[in-house]
Each structure stands twice: as C-alpha cells, then as structure tokens.
C-alpha cells in the first residue's frame, strides 16, 4: 500500500467510531477487542467504516482475521482494493 | 407559569451543574426540545422539556451546581391554564420522572447539636447539603460557610475538559457506588439462571448477516434485547419500579441497555418501547445509543426512563452475570458469553452454542416463579429468531 | 486653592479647626483648663490666646462642672462654645451637666432650646499618665440619648469634624485620643469640614471586618497590612461616630466578610464593643460565619509602667493575632 499510511487511515476510521479513544496510541499489534476494548457494536461500526471509506466489505466470517490494525491492513491489501487517497 | 427543575437522572443523583443553555429567555419551546445540558456524576446529559411554552427566565447560570429539584428556569405556558397539566405522552413510563425532593438535613437532637455557623446553615439549606456530612474547620470544629461550599465543590467537581464531555471517572465510580450500595441495602434480590441454546438464533443471524450489507448487519445482542422485551410482556411484574413501598408497574417496556465506558464505569440508557420495535429499529437505536453514551450526548429522560435493565457481556467474558438491580427498577436481566456447551439433544450429548440468561429480581415485588417464567419466555423467543 | 498637600500633625489639625471656627463665626469661643496661657495640656491651643485674645480663649478654674455648665448656658444663649476637658476621666466631674442638662434640655424644652455645644476631650492610654488620666469612657457617653459622640481618628477628621459639630444643634462630644496628637501626615491644604455621621471603610478586605475607632484605628490598619502578608484581607471600618452608630456600613461589611472583630481600647464589660456586637447579632446573624469577636482593654485600671500600659490595651500584634484566630481557627 502506497500513499497515506494505511494504518493512519484505519486510525481515522476508528476515531470516528470511538471518539473517546486516543487512537494515536493504539499499537498496530494490539487486539482491538481485548486490548483496546472495542465492544461488538464498536467493532461492527469499524467494519462499516472500512466498507464505506475503503470499499472493503469484510464478511462476518472473516472477523477473526482482522483483530489488529496490522492484520486489517494485511487483509485489505490481500483484497487489493484499498483506494489511494489524493496526495 | 411553571418551573423547569433540575431533573433526577437516576437514583444516585443528588445534584447537577448546568453546563449549557440551549434556549434563550423569550424563546419558544416545545415539548421534547432539549433545553439545557446538565452535568452529573455520570457525565453530561441533554435535558428536555415536557411542555410547550416560552422560556421566560433562566434562574441558574451556566456553571452553577444545584440540587435535584432546584428550579432552573421558568416557563410561560402556551395557554395560561395552570391546572391543565398535559398527561405524559404514551411512550413515557407509567411513572413519570418527577424531581425527587431535595434531601433535607435532619435535625440533630439538642444533646448532640451540630456546631454550624449561621451563614453556613443558611448556605447548606440553599444548596441542600446535609451539614452532618461536612467536617468543620471553624472554632471548636464548627462548620463554616467555606466548609459547606468546599463540600459542594468536592461533590460536584466535574469538568468538561476530558475526552468525554463532563466525564469524571471518580465521580462516576461514586455514583455507581451509591446506587449499588442502595440496591444491596434495600432490595432483597433473588437470582435465577437458565442456559439457552443459541444454535437457531445464531444460525439465523449468520444467514441474515451474510446476505446483508455491512451497514445493515445485526448483532446477537439485539436478539437478546428483543427477546427480553417480548418476554417482559408475558411477565409484567418484573417491569417497572418500586416506589413508596410498593411496585408500580410500567405499561411501556423501556429497556436500559448497559453500556460500559472505556474510561471506567457504565450506564444503562433507555431503548424506549423495545417490545414494539423491529430488529432493525432496535439495531439502529442501539447504535445511536452507544455512540451518544460514548460522546455524552444522552438525553436526561434516557437515564430516568428505563423500566428494566439488560446487561450482556457479549461474546467474551464470564459465563453468567447476576446483576445488581438499579433502583428503583424491579429486575435486571443478564446474558453471559455465548459458548459451546454440552447439551442433550434428542437423547444424545451434543455441543451447542449456549448463553446463560439470568435474572435478579426484587423479591418485594415478585417471587422466583415470575423470574423463572421470564427466563423461560426469553428462551422460547430465542428459539424462533425469525419471529423476533 | 490648589489641591496641594502639606505636612501636619493631628494636634495642628485640631488647632487649625479651632482657628477656622473662630475666624468664621464670632459666636465661637474656646474655654477650658489651661487652654490660654499654657496653650492647652496637649498644646492644642498654643498661640490661640495671642491671636484671638482673652475674650475668646478663656482659661477656667479647675471646675469641670462649673465651666461645662457655663458652656451649656452660653450655647443656650446663642453662642457656639468649644469646651475643652483635659481628659475623659475628669469629665466625670461634669457628668451631671452633660447628661442631665446638655443632653436633656432640648428634649425637656420641647425643642425650644438647642444646645449647640462642643466638648472636646482627650481620651485613652499610651502616655504613661496612669489610671486617672488614661481611660476610654467614650462608650459611656454613647449610651446617652441627646448627645452626639465623635472619635476623629484621622487628620482629615481632626481637621473637619469640629466645624460640622458646631453647626449641629445638639451637644457634640469629640474624643481625641492622646496618642494621636503627635500623629504626622499630609493633609489637603484646602481641607475643611467633613460630615460627622457615618462610618468609613479605611481599608477594604474580604476575609473579616475589623470595626474600630479613634486611637485603635492606626493599630488596626497596621495589623491589616501585616495580615495581608499572610493572605488574610481585613476590612477596617473606622466608626468615626459612636453615637449614632452607622449600622448600615457595619452590616454591609459583615455581610461581605462574614466575620467581625471589634477593637476597642475601652473595657469589654458593657462597653461600646458590646453594643456593636449585639447589633451585629441582631441585624446580621444569618450572615455570620463565626461568632463576633471583641478585642478590648484589659479590665484593670490603666497601669503606669510602660510595658503594663501597652499590655492592657489592644496593640497591632494582638489585633493581628485575634484576626488570625477568627479567620483561621486552630
């Protein structure tokens, strides 16, 4: 993935989902549910955000593959469809 | 002319601070308008008005802490009909939230009279502070004006500078502590549990979500919520309040959904008339509620309206949760994590996804048989997810 | 006349006040023991005999009752006498004239007779004059209806109260504290008459009100300055008039500060401080955050030795301690 740091883009989405979090402190390998404390509603909203912003619809069955920011990026890259934001 | 008062946004609330006026004197107001933002131990809430009229006078400026029941503003009624008080609207609970009378300092007997300066006594009365709870710093341990004001400042020190508007974790802890202590002190709980086979519900959910867009996916929690709301229709004696020594059942089923806050603490705002909402409507309501709880945009009425509480631990965590009833409600329903568990199916042992449903009931208002019927009703609803 | 200021003393300010009165009104004359040739026991009237002559600066026999009574008679007959009594202790010899005559005649005559008399007397301790010359009995006079009782504590009041007192149709007693005569300061060259009613806030403050008058004012102000150094802002009220008392100013101040210390060199029992305290409790009870406190003279005849004399009346340090105890108990 080139262009804007994809981790930052995911953090932005996360911030809109959970405005009470300081997303800049979230490590790429931290478990979003267990370490960060996203509940099922937050996580669903995060999935919705990814779908809307990045055009990647992650099926429920794949939730286990996107438990951290790093895993999310890998998953999305595998889909090969992450959109490049204007520079 | 009527009074707009500091509402009680929960059994544990004694005072609140007006942090914002959203209407100006002279402005027209209609029932349901958010008039002010009030900060409590549980954070900031938007407070609505329950009548039409004109805001004639603001009595409590922004930043002022006042006790529950204090007059915040005066409302000039649309029509000057002092006795024609509008009945509460249909979706409101049978028990309209009424401002609880401010706590009155109890008078000590002559033998152990409090040493309280006249100025402190008057201020304590104004602020509805019980001087017995205040340590005196004056002559001979006398309670002075400054002691009263410091006590109020300590009790109400919440500012909006943190991430969540008006959220102070220690104040929140205090609020929970007082409500839960009151519950355990006053309410004789009984506890029941029932393992519920979630195979059908989860299969139905997986199939639904597979064919839905991401935005329209459902959460298992919504099924639990709806099943509980419907079950309460069958067991109404667990839905309502214990007030003035007796049960006051509610016709509306307003489920307080427990939302834990990442800064610590939790709240359980109302999903109104949950039994009458579709699964999709409930999903939308829940999403809205969670976001607003996290950003402190809840309405005051959402804090006072719940007629029952549901706490769901989600996919992770403990197997069973026996909740502590939030006074003055009559029951709290809990759901543990959904886990595979051995079950007897057609005479054979099989692994089935299972959730333990629990109910803690107020034994003053109902007996175990009611709680048992409620759990059975929840079970049977969850066995027919398509009908939820 | 410009607003130029000139250095002066309390003594000179009183003398200037007498001179002004003599010059302005031919009905004014001064009489008392040693006011003429000796120039006054506190040298207030030095030089006035030379300037105004024996007719108007009159030495009297050592008979307070006699010459105070003569002053009352002169006032009744249209004069504007200033009678000087050496000290308040000696004024007791004239109590009958002051209380039974001066204070009552306007009343008993149904208002037909006014007694526009001014009696000046020295009061207070601090000059090692011992127990027969050092007491503060002005509070007694403040008990008497029909009298006005003034206590100038500043150069402005020393300069300005006399003329207003002479203009007043009632007998007015002016108490000059003996320690103030040497007080130096600057006074507006144009200084003149000042109102004789109403208290003055000499220093504003938020933490307590110190109510005082006369010789204790400067001590209270010194204490207030020291208290400010420890973070206590004292409001200092100069009563100026002990009868009538300016209740409004006192109560307004107490309502702001909620604590009050009354400083009075007179004895505590039955003194003017007791009256002030009672009025505060009557009128401002619900404003109070602590019981009203009094710092008064020790209840002994004023001793002669300097250290005992100093210890027997409020001083800046004891005022400071009393104020601190009121604001920060324990």
């Amino acid at each position: 993935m080139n262009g804007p740091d994809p981790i930052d883009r995911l953090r932005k989405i996360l911030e809109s989902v959970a405005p009470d979090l300081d997303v800049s402190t979230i490590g790429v390998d931290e478990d979003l549910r267990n370490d960060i404390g996203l509940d099922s509603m937050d996580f669903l909203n995060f999935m919705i955000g990814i779908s809307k912003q990045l055009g990647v619809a992650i099926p429920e069955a794949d939730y286990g593959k996107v438990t951290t920011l790093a895993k999310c990026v890998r998953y999305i890259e595998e889909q090969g469809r992450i959109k490049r934001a204007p520079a | 002319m009527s009074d707009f008062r500091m509402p009680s946004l929960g059994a544990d609330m004694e005072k609140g601070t007006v942090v914002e006026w959203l209407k100006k004197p002279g402005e027209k107001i209609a029932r349901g308008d958010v008039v002010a933002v009030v900060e409590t131990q549980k954070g900031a809430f938007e407070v609505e008005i329950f009548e039409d009229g004109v805001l004639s006078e603001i009595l409590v400026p922004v930043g002022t802490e006042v006790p529950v029941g204090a007059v915040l503003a005066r409302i000039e009624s649309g029509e000057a009909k002092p006795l024609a008080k509008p009945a509460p609207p249909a979706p409101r609970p049978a028990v309209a939230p009424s401002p609880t009378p401010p706590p009155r300092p109890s008078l000590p007997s002559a033998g152990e009279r409090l040493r309280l300066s006249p100025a402190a006594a008057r201020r304590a009365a104004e602020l509805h502070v019980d001087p017995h709870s205040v340590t005196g710093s004056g002559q001979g341990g006398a309670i002075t004006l400054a002691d009263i004001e410091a006590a109020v400042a300590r009790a109400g020190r919440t500012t909006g500078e943190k991430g969540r508007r008006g959220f102070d974790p220690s104040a929140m802890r205090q609020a929970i502590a007082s409500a839960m202590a009151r519950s355990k002190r006053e309410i004789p709980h009984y506890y029941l549990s029932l393992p519920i086979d979630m195979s059908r519900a989860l299969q139905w959910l997986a199939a639904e979500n597979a064919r839905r867009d991401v935005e329209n996916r459902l959460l298992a929690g919504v099924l639990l919520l709806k099943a509980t709301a419907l079950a309460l229709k069958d067991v109404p004696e667990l839905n309502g309040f214990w007030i003035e020594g007796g049960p006051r059942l509610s016709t509306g089923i307003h489920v307080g959904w427990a939302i834990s806050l990442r800064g610590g603490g939790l709240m359980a705002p109302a999903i109104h008339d949950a039994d009458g909402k579709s699964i999709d409507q409930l999903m939308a309501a829940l999403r809205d509620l969670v976001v607003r709880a996290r950003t402190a945009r809840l309405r005051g009425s959402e804090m006072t309206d719940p007629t029952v509480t549901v706490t769901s631990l989600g996919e992770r965590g403990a197997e069973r949760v026996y909740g502590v009833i939030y006074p003055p409600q009559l029951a709290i329903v809990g759901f543990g994590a959904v886990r595979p568990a051995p079950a007897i199916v057609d005479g054979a042992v099989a692994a089935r996804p299972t959730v333990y449903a629990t109910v803690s009931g107020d034994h003053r208002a109902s007996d175990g048989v009611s709680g048992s019927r409620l759990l059975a009703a929840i079970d049977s609803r969850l066995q027919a997810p398509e009908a939820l | 006349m410009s607003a130029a200021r000139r250095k002066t003393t309390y003594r000179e300010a009183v003398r200037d006040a007498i001179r002004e009165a003599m010059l302005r009104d031919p009905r004014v004359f001064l009489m008392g023991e040693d006011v003429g040739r000796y120039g006054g026991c506190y040298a207030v009237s030095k030089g006035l005999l030379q300037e105004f002559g024996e007719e108007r600066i009159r030495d009297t026999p050592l008979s307070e009752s006699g010459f105070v009574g003569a002053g009352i008679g002169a006032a009744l007959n249209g004069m504007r006498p200033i009678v000087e009594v050496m000290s308040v202790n000696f004024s007791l010899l004239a109590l009958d004239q002051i209380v039974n005559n001066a204070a009552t005649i306007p009343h008993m005559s149904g208002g037909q007779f006014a007694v526009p008399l001014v009696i000046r007397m020295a009061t207070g301790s601090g000059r090692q004059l011992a127990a027969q010359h050092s007491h503060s009995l002005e509070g007694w006079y403040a008990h008497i209806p029909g009298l006005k009782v003034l206590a100038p504590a500043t150069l402005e009041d020393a300069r300005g109260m006399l003329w207003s007192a002479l203009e007043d149709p009632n007998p007015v007693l002016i108490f000059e504290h003996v320690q103030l005569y040497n007080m130096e300061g600057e006074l507006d060259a144009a200084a003149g008459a000042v109102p004789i009613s109403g208290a003055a806030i000499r220093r504003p403050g938020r933490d307590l009100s110190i109510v005082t008058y006369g010789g204790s004012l400067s001590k209270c102000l010194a204490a207030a300055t020291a208290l400010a150094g420890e973070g206590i802002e004292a409001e200092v009220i100069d009563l100026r008039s002990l009868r009538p008392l300016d209740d409004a100013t006192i109560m307004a101040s107490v309502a702001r500060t909620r604590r009050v210390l009354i400083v009075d060199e007179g004895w505590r029992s039955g003194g003017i401080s007791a009256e002030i305290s009672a009025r505060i409790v009557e009128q401002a009870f619900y404003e109070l955050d602590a019981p009203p406190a009094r710092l008064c003279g020790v209840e002994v005849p004023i001793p002669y030795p300097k250290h005992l004399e100093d210890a027997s009346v409020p001083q800046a340090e004891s005022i400071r301690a009393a104020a601190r105890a009121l604001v920060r108990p324990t």
Side-chain angles (χ1 to χ4, degrees), chain C residues 32-319:
Chain C
E33 296 161 352
D34 287 338
V35 298
R37 276 171 190 77
Y38 186 64
C41 65
Y42 292 103
V44 167
S45 50
K46 225 181 179 79
L48 295 182
L49 175 65
Q50 289 72 23
E51 183 175 355
F52 295 103
E54 289 186 350
E55 275 286 299
R56 301 184 70 194
I57 306 294
R58 306 174 76 101
D59 280 321
T60 66
L62 303 189
S63 173
E64 281 77 9
S65 182
F67 66 78
V68 170
I72 294 168
L76 284 169
N77 283 284
M79 300 296 281
R80 293 290 182 272
I82 303 169
V83 173
E84 179 180 307
V85 175
M86 269 191 190
S87 105
V88 68
N89 280 77
F90 302 163
S91 78
L92 304 191
L93 291 158
L95 264 184
D96 178 59
Q97 292 295 355
I98 298 171
V99 177
N100 283 332
N101 292 329
T104 58
I105 286 170
H107 168 78
M108 294 182 75
S109 69
Q112 294 180 78
F113 295 112
V115 184
L117 165 72
V118 171
I119 306 174
R120 293 175 41 244
M121 45 185 131
T123 186
S125 68
R127 295 181 66 122
Q128 282 195 273
L129 296 173
Q132 291 169 329
H133 303 74
S134 303
H135 292 144
S136 296
L137 302 175
E138 52 275 11
W140 280 7
Y141 289 104
H143 180 64
I144 309 298
L147 300 180
K148 288 194 173 176
V149 179
L150 307 181
T154 63
L155 297 178
E156 284 78 7
D157 281 352
R159 176 67 181 81
M161 279 183 163
L162 180 69
W163 179 254
S164 303
L166 285 165
E167 297 247 283
D168 196 285
N170 300 289
V172 179
L173 277 51
I174 299 180
F175 288 89
E176 298 159 8
H177 194 282
V178 292
Q179 280 197 302
L180 294 176
Y181 285 123
N182 290 331
M183 182 172 75
E184 289 187 350
E186 287 194 335
L187 194 57
D188 196 318
V194 297
I196 54 171
S197 61
I201 294 173
R202 299 297 184 195
R203 179 194 174 103
R206 58 162 199 271
D207 295 324
L208 83 155
S209 302
I210 299 178
V211 177
T212 192
Y213 69 91
S216 297
L217 174 63
S218 57
K219 296 173 182 176
C220 289
L221 288 170
T225 302
L227 286 164
E230 28 182 315
I232 296 174
E233 292 295 338
E235 180 152 299
V236 179
I237 295 178
D238 174 7
L239 289 170
R240 298 181 71 247
S241 166
L242 304 188
R243 183 178 190 98
L245 280 169
D246 180 359
D247 290 0
T249 297
I250 298 170
M251 303 313 155
S253 175
V254 170
R256 281 194 301 277
T257 64
R258 301 183 181 280
R259 292 180 176 83
V260 61
L261 171 67
I262 304 155
V263 178
D264 168 20
E265 199 174 305
W267 295 307
R268 174 188 302 258
S269 301
I272 188 72
S273 58
E275 174 64 24
I276 296 164
S277 175
R279 289 185 187 208
I280 290 168
V281 171
E282 285 168 347
Q283 298 175 42
F285 180 76
Y286 293 103
E287 308 296 343
L288 290 172
D289 207 17
R294 285 185 287 162
L295 188 63
C296 301
V298 177
E299 302 210 10
V300 293
I302 295 288
Y304 172 75
K306 177 76 177 136
H307 67 291
L308 292 180
E309 182 182 40
D310 286 349
S312 66
V313 296
Q315 303 293 351
E317 194 41 54
S318 58
I319 295 166

Side-chain angles (χ1 to χ4, degrees), chain B residues 149-195:
Chain B
E149 286 173 347
V152 169
R154 265 197 308 280
R157 96 199 109 84
T158 52
T159 57
E161 60 202 39
K162 299 175 189 72
R164 196 171 160 276
R165 181 166 59 143
F167 180 61
D168 175 351
S170 70
M172 165 75 80
R173 203 65 253 159
Q174 207 64 52
I176 294 172
S178 95
M180 293 300 100
R182 178 184 155 195
S183 174
K184 282 288 185 170
R185 200 166 51 238
E186 294 177 2
I187 303 178
H189 290 59
Y190 64 78
Y191 305 98
L192 304 168
S193 78
L194 181 72

Side-chain angles (χ1 to χ4, degrees), chain B residues 117-119 122 137 139 144-145, chain C residues 258 285-289 326 329:
Chain B
S117 89
R122 192 173 58 182
S137 69
Q139 293 168 17
T144 66
L145 187 65
Chain C
R258 301 183 181 280
F285 180 76
Y286 293 103
E287 308 296 343
L288 290 172
D289 207 17
L326 190 57

Side-chain angles (χ1 to χ4, degrees), chain B residues 219-257:
Chain B
L219 293 173
V222 180
L223 303 184
L224 303 176
L225 169 62
K226 183 72 187 285
T228 304
L230 292 173
L232 280 164
K233 276 170 70 171
D234 302 339
V235 192
E237 59 267 34
L238 294 185
N239 185 56
F241 308 99
W242 184 267
I243 287 176
E244 288 163 8
R248 201 170 299 173
L249 303 185
S250 169
T251 46
I253 296 172
H254 312 307
V255 176
W257 184 259

